[in-house]
Amino acid sequence: MSDEGIASQVLHQNIGKSVLVKLKGKRSIRGKLKSFDKQMNLLLQEATDVSEDRPSDNKPKVQMGDILIRGDNVIIISVE
């Protein structure tokens, strides 16, 4: 099986589960994986910006709702 097939299979098995997506530019987004495509564009529900470089002076996490992340910005996808 090709690498693309393995990644697609793992993502398919985790639809509906919470994922942490690390992006270029030191951003991190947590949300529920709703769907994806072969370019690894990701559709997340109930997404929240949980980037580490955000000021930590008790500011609430940024709620983003439903978002589409372009696959070319993704560095790591971690199932939680």
Side-chain angles (χ1 to χ4, degrees):
M1 184 177 282
S2 71
D3 287 340
E4 181 179 313
I6 292 170
S8 185
Q9 181 181 12
V10 169
L11 286 174
H12 185 69
Q13 291 171 350
N14 290 290
I15 287 181
K17 295 183 181 172
S18 180
V19 294
L20 176 64
V21 183
K22 294 199 176 192
L23 306 172
K24 293 178 183 175
K26 297 183 180 181
R27 292 198 61 194
S28 296
I29 307 293
R30 177 174 283 127
K32 189 184 302 182
L33 180 63
K34 183 171 182 180
S35 65
F36 65 96
D37 62 14
K38 65 182 180 178
Q39 287 83 28
M40 293 297 164
N41 296 319
L42 306 172
L43 182 58
L44 301 183
Q45 294 178 307
E46 304 167 13
T48 304
D49 185 343
V50 293
S51 301
E52 294 175 9
D53 62 347
R54 293 187 44 210
S56 60
D57 53 355
N58 296 327
K59 290 186 179 178
K61 295 178 180 173
V62 178
Q63 300 294 325
M64 304 174 83
D66 296 349
I67 63 168
L68 175 67
I69 299 174
R70 285 188 47 162
D72 60 351
N73 290 312
V74 175
I75 297 173
I76 296 172
I77 304 169
S78 174
V79 179
E80 299 184 314

